[in-house]
Amino acid sequence: MSSDMDVSSGGVPGNGGGRAAGDPARTSDRGAATRGALLAAARDVFCESGFAQAAVTDIVAKAGASVGSLYHHFNGKADLYLTLFEEFQAGQQERTREAISTVREAGETDPMRQFIAGARAYLDGCLAQRDVSRLFISGDGPPGFDRVMRQRLTKWARRNAALFHTDDGGVDEALVMVLTGAMAGAVSEISLMDDEGAARRLAGEVMAILGTIRNPRTEQR
């Protein structure tokens, strides 16, 4: 959960091999730049004022755009918020994927240690973008966003479950529930803390505790 646009290089050559003035690629570039500016402005305004108090006029003013351009790229304020959420989650997913891949390539086969590597990367992402993470945890979102968050948590649990298969081909649901619940709580607390140093210390302590958890079924083999 990339926003980069793949712009075709196939234009109609003009004088000197340059692009024609009305080249669609240039229009696409301008559109992508406007869309990016609107998202960056929305992020700043939402983080400063919250979703409910944020005004579309403030967003377009900060982006140097027009209200019409906002509604050309997005359906409105809620669409901006949800797009920011999906982009944040896509970055987080990539962080965890890279972390787990790195430890696997280093020879780590223990599912718990793989989970710890991914969980640490996820918390690092929340710490690196605490303003955005706090925005989505705060409860000040568009109508129905709580459902989106629950769906994301369910998807997250399913990804975790892929690491913890049982001998009979099933999933250790109790272990997945404990780990997912602990991480959800940690993300919430760390994102909402005002003191960054304290948030980082708490993240380290949470990871240390999670690192002591063992799968009873595995230990009994």
Side-chain angles (χ1 to χ4, degrees), residues 124-177:
D124 284 346
C126 290
L127 288 165
Q129 300 185 67
R130 264 192 329 135
D131 55 344
V132 179
S133 184
R134 178 182 299 181
L135 171 66
F136 301 130
I137 292 294
S138 67
D140 179 14
F145 184 66
D146 55 339
R147 183 177 66 255
V148 174
M149 286 288 287
R150 286 197 302 272
Q151 291 171 343
R152 179 64 62 174
L153 184 60
T154 300
K155 185 181 294 185
W156 184 17
R158 286 200 300 268
R159 288 202 302 270
N160 290 345
L163 296 174
F164 298 107
H165 290 296
T166 57
D167 288 341
D168 59 4
V171 171
D172 194 333
E173 294 182 1
L175 181 60
V176 170
M177 184 182 300

Side-chain angles (χ1 to χ4, degrees), residues 5-216:
M5 297 184 67
D6 182 13
V7 179
S8 171
S9 60
V12 179
N15 294 334
R19 293 187 182 277
D23 185 12
R26 286 187 177 179
T27 302
S28 180
D29 286 344
R30 287 196 297 271
T34 300
R35 182 180 185 278
L38 287 165
L39 283 172
R43 168 180 168 155
D44 291 346
V45 173
F46 288 150
C47 288
E48 180 179 346
S49 304
F51 174 80
Q53 295 300 317
V56 166
T57 51
D58 292 336
I59 294 171
V60 296
K62 193 173 187 66
S66 66
V67 173
S69 65
L70 186 150
Y71 284 101
H72 174 74
H73 292 283
F74 302 96
N75 291 330
K77 190 169 72 167
D79 192 18
L80 279 164
Y81 186 97
L82 293 173
T83 301
L84 287 169
F85 176 71
E86 290 302 325
E87 290 192 355
F88 173 72
Q89 290 299 337
Q92 290 289 79
Q93 184 172 335
E94 182 62 16
R95 280 177 180 267
T96 58
R97 187 197 65 78
E98 289 181 357
I100 294 173
S101 294
T102 296
V103 297
R104 282 176 172 169
E105 290 171 1
E108 183 58 73
T109 59
D110 183 352
M112 180 59 73
R113 294 182 187 276
Q114 293 176 5
F115 171 82
I116 293 298
R120 181 177 289 112
Y122 194 96
L123 288 184
D124 284 346
C126 290
L127 288 165
Q129 300 185 67
R130 264 192 329 135
D131 55 344
V132 179
S133 184
R134 178 182 299 181
L135 171 66
F136 301 130
I137 292 294
S138 67
D140 179 14
F145 184 66
D146 55 339
R147 183 177 66 255
V148 174
M149 286 288 287
R150 286 197 302 272
Q151 291 171 343
R152 179 64 62 174
L153 184 60
T154 300
K155 185 181 294 185
W156 184 17
R158 286 200 300 268
R159 288 202 302 270
N160 290 345
L163 296 174
F164 298 107
H165 290 296
T166 57
D167 288 341
D168 59 4
V171 171
D172 194 333
E173 294 182 1
L175 181 60
V176 170
M177 184 182 300
V178 168
L179 294 174
T180 302
M183 278 298 295
V187 167
S188 179
E189 290 299 320
I190 288 167
S191 300
L192 295 175
M193 292 178 73
D194 292 325
D195 187 326
E196 181 178 352
R200 291 188 176 277
R201 286 192 296 273
L202 179 59
E205 292 167 0
V206 168
M207 296 314 307
I209 293 171
L210 286 178
T212 67
I213 297 177
R214 294 292 178 268
N215 185 342

